[in-house]
Amino acid sequence: MQLRYAFRLYPDTAQQAALARAFGCARVVFNDAVRAREDARKAGQPFPTAGQLSRKLITEAKRTVERSWLGEVSVVVLQQSLRDAEAAYRNFFRSLKGTREGPKMRAPRLKSRKNTRQSIRFTANARWSITGQGRLNLPKIGAVKVKWSRTLPAAPTSVTVIKDAAGRFFASFVIDTDPVADDARMPDTERTIGIDLGLTHFAVLSDGTKIDSPRFLRRAEKKLKKTQRELSRKQKGSKNRAKARLKVARAHATVADARREFHHQLSTRLISENQGIAVEDLSVAGLARTKLAKSVHDAGWSSFVNMLEYKAARYGRTLVKIGRFEPTSQTCSTCGAVDGPKPLNVREWTCTACGTVHDRDTNAAINVKTAAGLAVSACGASVRPGAVPAQREETGSHGLPAGSRAA
């Protein structure tokens, strides 16, 4: 399985300028590739191949006066930008044919230099390395200071340098994990658990444990409103507006980081303590169109379930998703009688068939576990689902495995 390990970068002024040049060159090559394909489509000609685009937009373009500055950055960065354009068109055509899972994809569009998030990728061919002092040595950029928060478990195959909306730099390493080592890290257990996700409590477990919702966005709303109000009062195009925009981005980044840390800690604990986990396949997109939209987005259920999914696949646990139309809140977990729908303000109810008094959320979590059949299917066995794609949302590695690069 491939996973991403992200670390904070602290480039100096000269390195930030070099990274800005690399971001700009990668964007120009991507846009040139999109224009070339669009021109071919309008002319009724076949799309140029990746090799033709590489020769025309990189090799030959660097010899011209208009694109001579492409030689100031690593050629691997430009080639990977072409690979990104190729992958974007491939996903678009697969989406049109219906062979790609997920929502419909639009045709690739031109990238703007005003995009708040930018990234470039270095594969093994770029000859990047980690120095003995723990710095990340990138071609034509230099040795960048890295804040190592943990040790890389294996030699990375590629590194992606990211600049987010808050102006922070990150290095995202692609790591091929070792299944044997991952299995040894987790303790043996035969416990199974059902999880009912909610808003009053973020998660209620089938054993009665209730995990409060941190509500990171709600707690930070006062500060966010203040920074957003200051931004709206600044003149468009001014330097003060750029500073105010950065304050807003940093405030939102603080909320997102806190939420992500909470999801990681909780998902790791649940994976460590349980062999089988059952969750409900909620329609977050549908719930986000209701009056509870802000609270739904603040909870971040999709992110949490995705973490459970890839961690279960990595550590040999079982994760089962039950259908969203399963009447978990209407069914008595004791006798199985369906008692009908209930409004959200009803938190406790008594079964009319057997007289058992139920806590609404705990009863739903028990029914989630029962509907998944974990008590029969897991049995403490080690189940390893298929591989999960690398995280952090940027395109994965297109290069060959690298040699030993770990510090």
Side-chain angles (χ1 to χ4, degrees), residues 35-226:
R35 290 193 190 96
R37 290 212 159 188
E38 284 300 305
D39 293 342
R41 182 186 64 82
K42 293 178 181 178
Q45 299 175 353
F47 278 173
T49 63
Q52 293 172 343
L53 289 176
S54 178
R55 182 173 61 255
K56 178 181 178 181
L57 302 181
I58 299 178
T59 306
E60 297 177 358
K62 288 193 292 187
R63 300 171 184 167
T64 63
V65 179
E66 295 80 6
R67 292 285 193 268
S68 60
W69 35 264
L70 290 177
E72 299 178 3
V73 302
S74 173
V75 68
V76 174
V77 169
L78 308 180
Q79 291 172 347
Q80 292 301 306
S81 186
L82 283 181
R83 296 288 185 95
D84 291 345
E86 190 79 13
Y89 272 104
R90 191 184 310 116
N91 290 334
F92 170 61
F93 291 130
R94 288 177 58 197
S95 181
L96 286 180
K97 295 177 182 178
T99 58
R100 183 183 184 275
E101 297 181 358
K104 293 292 184 181
M105 298 285 293
R106 294 193 296 183
R109 295 177 294 175
L110 300 179
K111 292 185 178 181
S112 172
R113 63 182 180 87
K114 297 182 180 180
N115 286 349
T116 55
R117 186 184 183 279
Q118 305 180 64
S119 64
I120 53 175
R121 186 170 55 254
F122 296 89
T123 59
N125 298 332
R127 300 182 183 275
W128 60 272
S129 62
I130 299 175
T131 66
Q133 291 74 30
R135 290 178 175 256
L136 178 61
N137 192 12
L138 300 173
K140 298 191 177 182
I141 294 176
V144 186
K145 182 180 178 182
V146 185
K147 180 65 175 179
W148 297 104
S149 56
R150 50 184 169 172
T151 305
L152 290 174
T157 59
S158 71
V159 60
T160 301
V161 180
I162 306 164
K163 182 182 179 182
D164 65 2
R168 303 176 301 177
F169 292 87
F170 293 91
S172 179
F173 298 93
V174 174
I175 301 295
D176 291 315
T177 61
D178 184 7
V180 177
D182 290 338
D183 282 338
R185 288 179 58 185
M186 287 295 167
D188 294 333
T189 179
E190 295 185 1
R191 285 189 57 191
T192 58
I193 205 77
I195 304 175
D196 178 65
L197 300 175
L199 297 178
T200 305
H201 295 91
F202 177 79
V204 178
L205 309 184
S206 56
D207 60 3
T209 304
K210 294 187 177 181
I211 301 168
D212 291 332
S213 180
R215 300 180 181 179
F216 296 105
L217 180 62
R218 295 289 187 181
R219 284 159 45 189
E221 269 187 325
K222 186 175 181 180
K223 181 179 180 180
L224 289 172
K225 287 180 180 179
K226 181 180 178 181

